[in-house]
Each structure stands twice: as C-alpha cells, then as structure tokens.
Amino acid sequence: MAIIDRKQREFERREEDILDAALLLFSQPNWESVSIEKVAKQAQIGKGTVYKHFESKDELLFKLMLRFYQGMLVTLPLKQTQSLPAVESFKTIFELVLQYHIENREYRYVVEYCGRIDFKARAKKSWRDAFKAIDQSFGEFSDPKLLEAMEKGEIAKRPIEEIHVGLAACFEGAVNMLWASTDWCSVGTDEEIVERIINFMVAGLIGQPK
Amino acid sequence: MAIIDRKQREFERREEDILDAALLLFSQPNWESVSIEKVAKQAQIGKGTVYKHFESKDELLFKLMLRFYQGMLVTLPLKQTQSLPAVESFKTIFELVLQYHIENREYRYVVEYCGRIDFKARAKKSWRDAFKAIDQSFGEFSDPKLLEAMEKGEIAKRPIEEIHVGLAACFEGAVNMLWASTDWCSVGTDEEIVERIINFMVAGLIGQPK
DNA sequence: TATTTTTGTGACTGGCGGTCATAATGTGAC
DNA sequence: GTCACATTATGACCGCCAGTCACAAAAATA
C-alpha cells in the first residue's frame, strides 16, 4: 500500500512538473507554436510520457486553466469584507478578482484559449462539470450578499440573473481588455482600466430604482 | 484602361468569391479544421490562387472580420433615434448591436478568432489601423450623444472613457455569451440574455449621482 | 537472479500553412 | 491567324505538429 501511495505521489508530482513546464512555455507570446514535444523537453521527459498524463493538448491546457480559477477561489474569501456595506464589499471583491488576473498574467493565453467558442464546444462533459462547479462556487459566495443587499435596499431589487449576466459579461470583457492591452491599441494603464470598469460595474450592480 | 478596370473588377469579384466560400466553411463548428486548400476547393480555384489574394490565412480571416464590423456600422445609423431621450436612444442602439450579432452568427468563429490576444499581438500595423478606424467611427457616433446626455443630466457626469471602457467590456462579454450559449452551459435564451445585459448596461450608463 | 508487470519513449502517420517552379491563359504586334 | 511575351493559376513540395504505438527500460515480485 505504502508503495502504491509513493508511486501515486510521484506520478502526481510529475504531473505538476509537466504543468509547470507547460505554463512556462505557454505564457510566452509565441505560445501558439509551442508543441507538446517542447513541453516534454522542458519537463525533461519524453513526448509519449506527456500523453500518459494528459490525453490531449486540450486537456493539458484545461488543467492549467482549472489551476488558475482554483487559485482565484482560494484568494477570494481571505479578504474579509463582512463588516463593510454591501456595495463597498462588492467593490473590494471586483478589485481583488481583477487584480488576481493582472498578477497572474502568465495564464492569459491559456485561460483565453479555454474560453474560445470551439474549445467549449468540444469540451468533454467532465470538463463542463468542473467548470460549472467553479461557477457555482462564485454564486454561493456572492448570492447571499446580493440578496441581503437588495433586502436592505442598498441595490435595486430585480432578478438575480440580471446581475449575474451583467457582472459576468463585464468581467469577461474587462479581463480581455487588461490582458490584451499591451499588445493592442491601449485604452489606458491597468489601474485606469480597473478603476473605470469598477465604477461602471458598481453602477450596474446598484441599478436604477424602478 | 478599360481592360485594366475590367481585370481589376474581376480580381476583386474573385476576392469576394473567396471570402464567401471561406465564410461558408468558417461558420461551421468544425471551422478549425478547415484548411486553405478546402477554402480553395469550395471557391473552385487552386490553393496557390488564394495566396495571390491574401498573404496568409490570418489576413483572410481579418478581411472577413472587417466585413462583419463594416456591416454593423452600416446598419447602425439607419434607425433614427434622435427624437428619443438619450437613455432610450442608447438602449435602442444596444439592442441593435446585440441583435446584429445574433443575426450574423455565422461570423462568430471568425470574429472571435480575430479577437484573440495572440492574433492581435501579431497583427500588422495596417490591420490595427483599420480596426482603430472602426473604433473611432463608433466613438464619433456615440460621444456627442453621451456628452449631451451628461449636460442635460440624463446620465451621471464623469470622464467619457469610463463609459467607453464599461460599455466595451460589457458588449464584449455579452457577445461572447450570446455566441457561445448554445455550446456551453446555457445562461438563458438569447432574448433573456439581451434583456438582462441591456438593463445592466443602462444602469452602468446612467451611473450613480455623486 | 529470473520473470513479470509497469512505466517511459521517440519514430512514425496524416494533415496543416505557406512557397515556388511551372503550366495555363490572356494580350497585342504583325 | 499566329507568335512572343506578360500575367495569372496551380498543386507538388517543405518543415512542422498532434497524437499513436511497438518496443525498451525499469521496477516489482518470486
């Protein structure tokens, strides 16, 4: 048993090694031309071995994306915002999430790749489920706060889905902006973008009194 | 001269033919596996001929994307919204733009492809300029309305960039949602998404009184 | 040590984007 | 009509990649 455990651990450690090597290469602008063979070389193993751990390049990228979002979920509840008024609390969370994206910019190509329409379309059911679980975590984290804030009249009363969809769209667009900004027509520094987006999101969050 | 003109026209017509053939193939879910050779076959010409018109597959896709946005610019001013109050006018425009995306769903893979971080990173200067010009058209179309609405107190006074960034992010996220919805965990029908997003955007547009 | 099982490997396959020598076509002088 | 020349179209070819698989190396077991 102890042997199986050790082997198991070694196997998993190697998986982490591959992921680390892959992220190192996939964080470079030329990431599209990074082949599995190069990842294998970086991890100092053979190409075939990579396929013992990940059944496709897509799965390797998907696992990296999962690591990114799980890391985000971990950092979120650390900052205690209970004592703040709801709107301030959400503002802090928005800032945290956007900041996390800025600080973990090395994942940008990977995360964007996994957000592509056709990546999603060919994603296996288990991947969709993993993704849904993350979405759900966010919902569980924020929905009680939202409902309470509506009850207290701090934000306009309306179907919670409206806020979900609005914030999700805004986040997605904002992240794309932050991650692409250096390469494309810049729309300002990261800080400027964050500040502007957050003001806009807060306004959308509060909503208009009926 | 007349001959050059005719040849020129024929050449351009063939370019349109290639673009049409390409869109037909690139609008299918398997678009990623569509090679230039298949596009050529669809257009009933040789592979090399395609490269006489477009210096790379990227350029072909870029030209298609331009067609999409130019089409959008054309449809926008058709709907006269001058007489409406600013907020209602913007609401109508939001709806028009989102509707245009829904109705021209066949461009979704192409437009998404050209929005990728690394596509933008390797884009030639002339492509960036073409894109900037489109952005500018949107600005010229909406900025006067925005400033007037601020003056009249219909929306909160603040730097116009805040609205730009917020709306742009929201649009981008919303479009992604609409275009991916069928393939991914659905967040509602197109109509529901549009309605929710628009409410959110309007709230963000109006902003909070200081 | 000998045998079996597990794990690691890189040569190989089919298919891609892009190139380029060559073929096909069109043009204008005579 | 024909011929020399210019223009345009072509697909065989190159280097490269994702993924496979027959086999080699290593580890476990006897």
Side-chain angles (χ1 to χ4, degrees), chain B residues 3 6 35-36 38 47 51 56-57:
Chain B
I3 286 166
R6 205 203 68 221
S35 62
I36 287 292
K38 284 178 192 159
K47 178 180 176 180
Y51 283 94
S56 66
K57 198 179 185 183

Side-chain angles (χ1 to χ4, degrees), chain A residues 55-108:
Chain A
E55 73 177 31
S56 66
K57 197 178 184 182
D58 271 6
E59 182 169 314
L60 174 54
L61 285 154
F62 177 79
K63 289 274 174 72
L64 273 176
M65 183 205 67
L66 269 192
R67 236 172 46 160
F68 174 81
Y69 282 115
Q70 275 155 2
M72 183 156 85
L73 275 180
V74 169
T75 68
L76 270 197
L78 291 181
K79 194 101 169 188
Q80 284 304 323
T81 59
Q82 307 289 3
S83 52
L84 296 170
V87 172
E88 284 307 309
S89 166
F90 273 107
K91 204 170 167 177
T92 309
I93 293 165
F94 296 164
E95 260 165 3
L96 270 175
V97 171
L98 291 180
Q99 206 58 47
Y100 180 83
H101 280 80
I102 291 173
E103 280 162 13
N104 294 276
R105 216 162 182 268
E106 67 270 23
Y107 280 93
R108 64 190 174 140

